[in-house]
Amino acid sequence: MNENKPGDSQNLACVFCRKNDDCPNKYGEKKTKEKWNLTVHYYCLLMSSGIWQRGKEEEGVYGFLIEDIRKEVNRASKLKCCVCKKNGASIGCVAPRCKRSYHFPCGLQRECIFQFTGNFASFCWNHRPVQIITSNNYRESLPCTICLEFIEPIPSYNILRSPCCKNAWFHRDCLQVQAINAGVFFFRCTICSNSDIFQKEMLRMGIHIPEKDASWELEENAYQELLQHHERCDVRRCRCKEGRDYNAPDSKWEIKRCQCCGSSGTHLACSSLRSWEQNWECLECRGIIYNSGEFQKAKKHVLPNSNNVGITDCLLEESSPKLPRQSPGSQSKDLLRQGSKFRRNVSTLLIELGFQIKKKTKRLYINKANIWTSALDAFRNRNFNPSYAIEVAYVIENDNFGSEHPGSKQEFLSLLMQHLENSSLFEGSLSKNLSLNSQALKENLYYEAGKMLAISLVHGGPSPGFFSKTLFNCLVYGPENTQPILDDVSDFDVAQIIIRINTATTVADLKSVINECYNYLELIGCLRLITTLSDKYMLVKDILVYHVIQRVQAPFESFKQGLKTLGVLEKIQAYPEAFCSILCHKPESLSAKILSDLFTVHTLPDVKALGFWNSYLQAVEDGKSTTTMEDILIFATGCSSIPPAGFKPTPSIECLPVDFPVGNKCNNCLAIPVTNTYKEFQENMDFTIRNTLKLEKEESSHYIGH
């Protein structure tokens, strides 16, 4: 052992591994007993093969007696580590006939597995347990569900898979840090929240799950605010002149707390509540209620049920002379905690929603000439499940030969979103609201439109980008908390009425306009007594609310129900800032740099051809070509913009000895020609891309005409 001063614990070396590192996540807590001139890492002590915990928790070091520790150090001094070749290897592989011994840090270095349960077994790199999967159909990288960095979905020492959710993968280091922070009472699968099956598998694979309370539970007065009553109006537009904190019992300005969480409130009048007994839920709890609806209930059938096994049973499969430490009072903790909500990237949120997609595939037969009808038939098919992976096959109507050819899923979703944006279900020029179409309402098309939008977002479709802020706010905050504006009115006559009322300069002028529009105002229920000129503002507000919101209440409710598919609406309501960027705004314009970074080179490149490719992108951006950036992307992928969740597979470039470029939209692959000069390269690229897209449009028009 190093001859360090006892008081300088940072520089004292562990008597087992001879390292002075103080890294609790890797080696466990570092403990120094100055009286005995003894320093150990918790994991080095716990995993040593020849020592048992014979004392109480407060005796010796974590219940290991000092005399036993010295005996174990003496035993280990005669054993040589098979990794570093130094003495002191106190840990041995438990596999029969295996004689490998090593220090704990050396074992980590060689990817040994240490099981912090049962007899605290250790396995060397040749005999360690592995995760076995029957088949690996994952062709692409998947995100670690903790850090969200992409990893190759192949089980290894550093990559682990959840036993209860087959599409949940983790870095070992991410799991270990989470286990230490969460403790045994809160460590569970990040997807389905299963703890029993998940913890047993993680313990088998060498993840240490300390039997302690979660780190966030140990903060002093961490939940003190839960003991306070909430008395504040939190709706988006508080109508009380006395302010949000004003509370007048037995009046319309009495504050009603959310019946679910009690941590948000509203004045009765601000949420149009007629009495205090009427139920009211805040926005966050409304999303939770949706999560407990049909979508989540259907989802539960595919998740493994938790067995009635206690936490102690999970950690200790058989009686053991070594017991992990336990924090005081940790067993009595059984509280429901709500994590903090923070800003999230929309692509990350969509990737999370994409975890619901199963391996099972559903093929959709789509007629590009009648994209809406064929999509409607496919989505209404009783065998269609939104959580199945989608394959697209393009067919031609009235084709006697029944021919079909593979199609691009993202091209299909892109065409479907374009049709939806220009359909009669929406009104407006750029920013659109729902229209009132009685036939569409009768055929339940608003529900289907919401369902299509949800499916498109989760399955990698493009950004819709055509919602008005008013429609978006109605979906997120509720129609009762949304105020329309004049730009939301697409009816010219109604807009003129509002403008005339708003520009009236005298009470006489205002009454004259009202008399002229008397029948219309009476029909929509917006007639009101005019006493002052300022009454015109309330009248305009009433007309806007009726025309933009109340008039389309039935289509809105139907559309909202469809948008709940795959939990999309709930995610929108939980993270409105993230989703506003893709629902209310068109994607950013493509540039040469964006496309250059987007396409990867998968084959051995031709240096000259790649140079021509980069020069071509710059020429297109500078307007020196007859094609556009969007044309190139459509030619290669079928999409005019990059989907929020990204392309699958990633767009790639191939350099082939051909005269003209070839776009493979199913694989997002662009084969560029190998030519002698740049002029020939550009002419061939322009000619092929321009004429291919033109031919596709003509074919579509031809089919529609017939």
Side-chain angles (χ1 to χ4, degrees):
M1 181 172 161
N2 292 3
E3 297 296 331
N4 300 71
K5 293 181 180 180
D8 191 6
S9 61
Q10 293 295 327
N11 295 323
L12 291 175
C14 171
V15 294
F16 289 105
C17 69
R18 307 298 176 88
K19 288 182 176 290
N20 57 12
D21 302 53
D22 189 5
C23 184
N25 286 350
K26 290 180 67 177
Y27 309 133
E29 185 180 358
K30 188 179 180 182
K31 195 82 167 182
T32 297
K33 289 290 185 179
E34 295 182 5
K35 179 180 178 180
W36 307 103
N37 195 24
L38 188 73
T39 298
V40 294
H41 290 124
Y42 178 49
Y43 294 170
C44 293
L45 177 61
L46 194 63
M47 299 308 303
S48 292
S49 303
I51 191 170
W52 291 267
Q53 192 178 30
R54 297 194 299 136
K56 296 181 181 179
E57 182 74 18
E58 63 275 7
E59 292 184 89
V61 183
Y62 308 128
F64 293 88
L65 302 181
I66 300 299
E67 58 185 277
D68 291 342
I69 296 175
R70 294 202 184 281
K71 288 180 182 179
E72 178 64 4
V73 172
N74 184 56
R75 183 190 71 85
S77 65
K78 304 170 187 176
L79 300 173
K80 183 176 289 188
C81 175
C82 62
V83 179
C84 69
K85 309 304 180 185
K86 296 180 181 179
N87 290 342
S90 61
I91 306 172
C93 177
V94 300
R97 300 178 184 176
C98 182
K99 297 182 180 181
R100 289 191 178 94
S101 295
Y102 33 82
H103 302 100
F104 185 84
C106 295
L108 287 182
Q109 179 185 337
R110 284 303 304 269
E111 300 183 348
C112 299
I113 280 186
F114 304 94
Q115 294 182 340
F116 295 87
T117 184
N119 285 325
F120 292 81
S122 170
F123 298 88
C124 71
W125 51 93
N126 281 343
H127 301 112
R128 70 190 183 204
V130 296
Q131 289 187 311
I132 300 175
I133 57 177
T134 54
S135 62
N136 189 357
N137 294 328
Y138 300 100
R139 301 173 184 173
E140 305 155 9
S141 298
L142 292 175
C144 166
T145 59
I146 295 177
C147 71
L148 299 180
E149 289 186 3
F150 280 87
I151 55 180
E152 291 299 323
I154 301 174
S156 64
Y157 176 80
N158 292 309
I159 305 297
L160 301 178
R161 188 177 72 160
S162 171
C164 39
C165 294
K166 304 306 181 184
N167 55 354
W169 296 79
F170 313 90
H171 292 108
R172 172 180 289 272
D173 291 342
C174 293
L175 275 173
Q176 186 58 78
V177 172
Q178 179 139 318
I180 290 174
N181 288 329
V184 70
F185 302 102
F186 291 90
F187 184 57
R188 57 197 65 191
C189 177
T190 55
I191 302 299
C192 68
S193 293
N194 179 283
S195 60
D196 296 342
I197 298 174
F198 185 74
Q199 287 190 11
K200 283 185 177 180
E201 175 66 4
M202 294 305 113
L203 287 167
R204 185 180 76 89
M205 296 306 298
I207 300 298
H208 178 221
I209 310 173
E211 195 167 347
K212 69 177 186 67
D213 221 339
S215 57
W216 57 84
E217 295 283 347
L218 302 178
E219 296 180 26
E220 189 175 356
N221 297 324
Y223 300 99
Q224 190 67 26
E225 67 274 8
L226 296 179
L227 303 177
Q228 302 174 2
H229 288 297
H230 187 86
E231 293 188 354
R232 177 180 170 82
C233 179
D234 298 304
V235 298
R236 188 162 175 259
R237 295 177 64 89
C238 177
R239 301 175 183 175
C240 181
K241 295 181 179 179
E242 302 295 330
R244 293 182 178 273
D245 296 322
Y246 181 72
N247 183 20
D250 301 322
S251 73
K252 66 179 181 178
W253 302 120
E254 180 176 5
I255 288 181
K256 166 81 174 178
R257 285 186 291 274
C258 172
Q259 64 174 352
C260 298
C261 69
S263 60
S264 293
T266 178
H267 290 115
L268 299 183
C270 294
S271 292
S272 303
L273 300 177
R274 296 182 179 179
S275 67
W276 195 87
E277 289 78 13
Q278 194 171 345
N279 292 335
W280 180 79
E281 303 92 17
C282 65
L283 178 63
E284 287 77 11
C285 291
R286 193 180 305 166
I288 295 172
I289 292 171
Y290 291 152
N291 283 336
S292 63
E294 293 181 359
F295 160 66
Q296 290 293 338
K297 288 178 181 176
K299 188 176 177 181
K300 287 180 181 177
H301 293 296
V302 300
L303 297 177
N305 296 322
S306 299
N307 300 322
N308 295 323
V309 181
I311 293 174
T312 307
D313 296 331
C314 295
L315 278 176
L316 304 175
E317 298 172 0
E318 53 181 297
S319 59
S320 170
K322 300 179 185 178
L323 298 175
R325 288 181 297 142
Q326 203 170 17
S327 63
S330 60
Q331 292 141 322
S332 62
K333 295 286 185 179
D334 190 20
L335 300 175
L336 177 65
R337 303 298 188 194
Q338 181 177 353
S340 61
K341 189 169 12 173
F342 49 91
R343 291 190 179 185
R344 302 284 298 279
N345 183 282
V346 69
S347 61
T348 302
L349 296 170
L350 292 175
I351 289 172
E352 289 178 359
L353 287 172
F355 290 152
Q356 305 169 66
I357 300 176
K358 302 178 176 64
K359 294 181 183 178
K360 188 171 182 179
T361 301
K362 175 63 177 177
R363 173 168 288 191
L364 307 183
Y365 295 94
I366 302 299
N367 177 11
K368 289 177 72 173
N370 197 348
I371 200 83
W372 171 256
T373 302
S374 53
L376 201 59
D377 292 341
F379 289 158
R380 282 178 168 176
N381 189 297
R382 64 178 182 177
N383 295 323
F384 177 76
N385 187 329
S387 62
Y388 288 170
I390 292 176
E391 278 187 4
V392 173
Y394 287 136
V395 297
I396 300 175
E397 195 174 5
N398 300 325
D399 182 4
N400 297 327
F401 300 99
S403 59
E404 62 181 66
H405 61 277
S408 163
K409 177 185 69 174
Q410 288 177 313
E411 179 189 34
F412 156 63
L413 294 175
S414 181
L415 293 173
L416 183 59
M417 289 302 102
Q418 291 175 24
H419 178 92
L420 200 59
E421 179 178 359
N422 298 314
S423 71
S424 60
L425 301 178
F426 295 90
E427 60 184 20
S429 54
L430 297 177
S431 298
K432 295 179 179 290
N433 291 291
L434 291 171
S435 65
L436 180 59
N437 186 322
S438 57
Q439 185 62 31
L441 193 61
K442 183 178 179 181
E443 296 177 8
N444 206 25
L445 296 185
Y446 290 100
Y447 170 83
E448 298 295 342
K451 179 180 175 182
M452 289 176 181
L453 272 163
I455 291 173
S456 176
L457 287 173
V458 177
H459 284 266
S463 305
F466 59 83
F467 282 26
S468 72
K469 286 291 183 65
T470 298
L471 175 56
F472 181 78
N473 289 339
C474 285
L475 290 169
V476 174
Y477 306 108
E480 69 277 6
N481 295 317
T482 302
Q483 178 56 50
I485 60 176
L486 182 60
D487 289 343
D488 293 319
V489 179
S490 58
D491 187 304
F492 178 80
D493 294 332
V494 175
Q496 287 300 308
I497 292 174
I498 293 173
I499 292 172
R500 290 182 63 191
I501 293 174
N502 213 25
T503 54
T505 56
T506 64
V507 174
D509 290 342
L510 181 58
K511 289 183 176 180
S512 174
V513 175
I514 292 174
N515 287 334
E516 291 181 28
C517 308
Y518 185 89
N519 292 336
Y520 171 73
L521 295 176
E522 182 181 37
L523 178 66
I524 66 175
C526 290
L527 277 176
R528 61 168 49 241
L529 181 64
I530 301 297
T531 56
T532 63
L533 185 61
S534 60
D535 289 339
K536 68 179 182 179
Y537 300 116
M538 290 303 298
L539 179 57
V540 167
K541 179 181 176 181
D542 290 345
I543 297 172
L544 285 171
V545 169
Y546 168 79
H547 185 82
V548 180
I549 295 178
Q550 295 177 353
R551 181 177 64 98
V552 294
Q553 183 176 357
F556 174 77
E557 291 299 326
S558 182
F559 179 72
K560 189 170 73 170
Q561 289 299 318
L563 206 53
K564 289 181 182 179
T565 304
L566 295 173
V568 170
L569 179 61
E570 293 74 23
K571 213 70 166 178
I572 293 173
Q573 291 173 334
Y575 301 98
E577 290 185 7
F579 279 92
C580 183
S581 63
I582 64 170
L583 294 178
C584 300
H585 302 282
K586 292 295 184 181
E588 63 175 329
S589 300
L590 297 174
S591 65
K593 185 179 187 310
I594 291 175
L595 280 193
S596 179
D597 293 342
L598 178 65
F599 285 88
T600 59
V601 181
H602 281 181
T603 58
L604 188 63
D606 182 286
V607 177
K608 182 189 289 187
L610 285 180
F612 289 167
W613 161 250
N614 290 322
S615 299
Y616 180 68
L617 291 179
Q618 193 59 53
V620 173
E621 182 176 330
D622 295 341
K624 299 177 182 178
S625 169
T626 56
T627 61
T628 64
M629 293 292 179
E630 288 71 21
D631 290 339
I632 298 173
L633 194 61
I634 293 173
F635 180 78
T637 68
C639 298
S640 60
S641 62
I642 302 174
F647 283 105
K648 289 186 180 180
T650 303
S652 61
I653 287 286
E654 288 182 327
C655 303
L656 298 180
V658 293
D659 293 330
F660 298 96
V662 178
N664 187 337
K665 298 177 182 178
C666 295
N667 296 325
N668 297 329
C669 181
L670 174 62
I672 58 176
V674 177
T675 60
N676 294 322
T677 64
Y678 171 72
K679 181 180 179 182
E680 184 183 359
F681 181 90
Q682 178 172 346
E683 288 176 351
N684 291 355
M685 292 288 289
D686 286 347
F687 174 82
T688 305
I689 293 175
R690 182 179 64 252
N691 286 283
T692 299
L693 299 184
K694 180 180 178 182
L695 181 62
E696 288 179 352
K697 290 181 181 179
E698 289 177 351
E699 287 180 347
S700 178
S701 302
H702 171 75
Y703 294 138
I704 293 173
H706 283 71

